[in-house]
Amino acid sequence: MTSNRGVVYLGPNEVEVQNIADAKLEAPDGRRIEHGVILKVVSTNICGSDQHMVRGRTTAEAGLVLGHEITGEVIEVGRDVEMLAVGDLVSVPFNVACGRCRCCRSQDTGVCLTVNPERAGGAYGYVDMGGWIGGQAHYVTIPYADFNLLKFPDKDQALSKIRDLTMLSDILPTGFHGAMQAGVGVGSVVYVAGAGPVGLAAAASARILGAAVVLIGDFNAERLEHAARVGFEPVDLSKGDNLGELIAEIIGTPEVDAAIDAVGFEARGHAGGEQPAIVLNQMMEITRVAGSIGIPGLYVTEDPGAVDAAAKQGSLSMRFGLGWAKAQSFHTGQTPVLKYNRQLMQAILHERLPIADIVNATIIPLEDAAKGYASFDKGVAQKFVLDPHGMLAA
């Protein structure tokens, strides 16, 4: 293995590609893990969740190697790995999961009970998620490989569709989970809050699940224009502070069957300031009685940059009584990627889900990661895919 370089968080609004430690078959506490593999990273994406950390809106410490959206080639296997071999091309769920605890056995891999000593759930390169090294790098270690990794059946075919398949590690299953948890089905009228990559993935998921109309709301004109180009109904939130009225202008009624929050805790209101609960409150207002709300957008337990003391502890001013009175269902939490990624892979390989075009996947070199973060923070209508080894440029 040659020297390893990765994207390192240095502090609020500052990342840098640096030399980092070589990937080894070791857990964060230094234990040897024979159930793991080392991957040569083929593609690794910049995620909105990474951006929360880079903005300084979490308790992430300087020195963290970022990156949880990983696709790679196996270059080393531990002696306990039975179903993977050197040369296999695999997708890595962002969830680190053991496959053996109560939650993993019930497919709740987003809250594995064993891979993080501090709380349920682990992830690569993320604050409070177990200390697993991130994959915005040349090489990365993956534990419990037989359970976690999705092997692509045809390596050459997978490489030809890598712009799409790289989305299987997080963004596409997360959007799909939001749509499933919102109860989207044939003929549904769906509203998605947020026209960023996860919102677009949620909208694409709603469409493949049979939605009749998929509306997607945002303040960002560039993102709304892109959403319209790929077939969704844009809702320009800058035109008014009553979401129901904006929706009614498009479909004739202020109500939808299902709503998906792809914004999370850094939500902003019509006046421009942060209002952490505004999207959740709007979801309750516009969703029909006995409807469901999927919440793949991130909400945190600690937010140092929050607008008030309560929000700094994850306490939000929700109109929960409205949701209760309307008998609505709310679904939260980290997406259990393994629950969906194989089916979504098949949809991609069989030309049913052109997710790279839908989210406007844009390939950049690993060394340009800081530029990608800066552009993403400005709200460009792109999903940045890092190319550590120059394998995707052609």
Side-chain angles (χ1 to χ4, degrees):
M1 186 190 305
T2 57
S3 61
N4 199 10
R5 286 175 66 77
V7 181
V8 179
Y9 170 67
L10 301 180
N13 300 308
E14 189 174 3
V15 297
E16 183 175 278
V17 179
Q18 300 180 349
N19 292 328
I20 61 174
D22 290 343
K24 300 177 182 179
L25 292 177
E26 291 182 354
D29 62 6
R31 289 178 297 112
R32 175 82 177 177
I33 50 172
E34 296 293 350
H35 49 67
V37 302
I38 295 175
L39 298 183
K40 175 183 179 180
V41 178
V42 173
S43 64
T44 177
N45 314 330
I46 296 176
C47 179
S49 297
D50 298 320
Q51 201 73 56
H52 292 306
M53 288 187 292
V54 171
R55 290 192 189 110
R57 298 300 297 268
T58 72
T59 55
E61 296 183 357
L64 179 68
V65 180
L66 299 170
H68 57 272
E69 300 191 13
I70 308 162
T71 305
E73 179 184 7
V74 177
I75 62 169
E76 184 178 340
V77 298
R79 67 168 179 263
D80 293 338
V81 176
E82 299 179 352
M83 302 176 70
L84 295 164
V86 171
D88 287 344
L89 188 66
V90 296
S91 178
V92 184
F94 78 87
N95 320 109
V96 182
C98 72
R100 301 179 292 198
C101 70
R102 175 179 180 176
C103 289
C104 285
R105 285 174 178 268
S106 62
Q107 291 193 308
D108 292 318
T109 53
V111 281
C112 174
L113 300 174
T114 68
V115 296
N116 183 352
E118 303 299 325
R119 58 191 282 189
Y124 304 93
Y126 209 83
V127 59
D128 297 330
M129 282 294 179
W132 298 94
I133 304 300
Q136 287 176 10
H138 286 106
Y139 303 94
V140 68
T141 301
I142 307 298
Y144 303 104
D146 281 333
F147 178 72
N148 282 305
L149 296 181
L150 173 66
K151 176 184 172 181
F152 298 127
D154 185 307
K155 188 174 182 179
D156 290 337
Q157 180 193 30
L159 285 171
S160 73
K161 289 186 171 293
I162 195 67
R163 289 175 67 252
D164 297 287
L165 294 173
T166 191
M167 306 304 166
L168 288 174
S169 55
D170 178 0
I171 177 179
L172 180 54
T174 293
F176 192 81
H177 183 61
M180 289 288 289
Q181 297 295 71
V184 176
V186 175
S188 295
V189 176
V190 183
Y191 175 76
V192 180
V198 172
L200 290 165
S205 299
R207 185 159 63 191
I208 202 171
L209 287 168
V213 181
V214 181
L215 305 112
I216 188 163
D218 208 300
F219 291 100
N220 185 311
E222 181 184 347
R223 288 183 168 181
L224 289 173
E225 289 170 6
H226 176 74
R229 281 196 300 270
V230 293
F232 307 119
E233 293 287 343
V235 180
D236 186 349
L237 301 181
S238 68
K239 292 185 175 180
D241 60 1
N242 188 311
L243 179 58
E245 291 180 356
L246 296 175
I247 289 173
E249 290 177 6
I250 299 170
I251 61 172
T253 175
E255 184 177 83
V256 298
D257 298 309
I260 303 167
D261 173 4
V263 175
F265 72 104
E266 287 193 65
R268 293 184 176 274
H270 186 261
E274 280 198 20
Q275 296 178 246
I278 189 168
V279 171
L280 296 173
N281 288 329
Q282 288 176 333
M283 301 289 96
M284 288 184 277
E285 291 173 4
I286 66 167
T287 302
R288 68 173 176 85
V289 169
S292 294
I293 299 167
I295 310 172
L298 177 67
Y299 289 86
V300 295
T301 55
E302 293 183 75
D303 175 9
V307 294
D308 57 54
K312 287 182 179 180
Q313 303 300 318
S315 297
L316 308 181
S317 298
M318 289 177 60
R319 291 189 64 198
F320 190 73
L322 175 61
W324 191 95
K326 295 176 73 173
Q328 293 169 336
S329 299
F330 302 80
H331 302 271
T332 68
Q334 300 276 2
T335 297
V337 172
L338 279 172
K339 190 172 184 178
Y340 308 110
N341 63 353
R342 185 173 297 276
Q343 303 95 302
L344 293 170
M345 175 189 73
Q346 293 287 69
I348 289 171
L349 293 177
H350 292 279
E351 310 288 349
R352 295 295 309 281
L353 194 50
I355 187 62
D357 290 340
I358 290 170
V359 302
N360 199 16
T362 303
I363 296 168
I364 62 174
L366 178 70
E367 298 294 331
D368 287 350
K371 296 178 183 177
Y373 272 98
S375 295
F376 192 28
D377 194 46
K378 293 176 182 177
V380 297
Q382 293 172 291
K383 170 71 170 177
F384 289 106
V385 178
L386 303 179
D387 183 7
H389 293 277
M391 298 176 67
L392 312 183

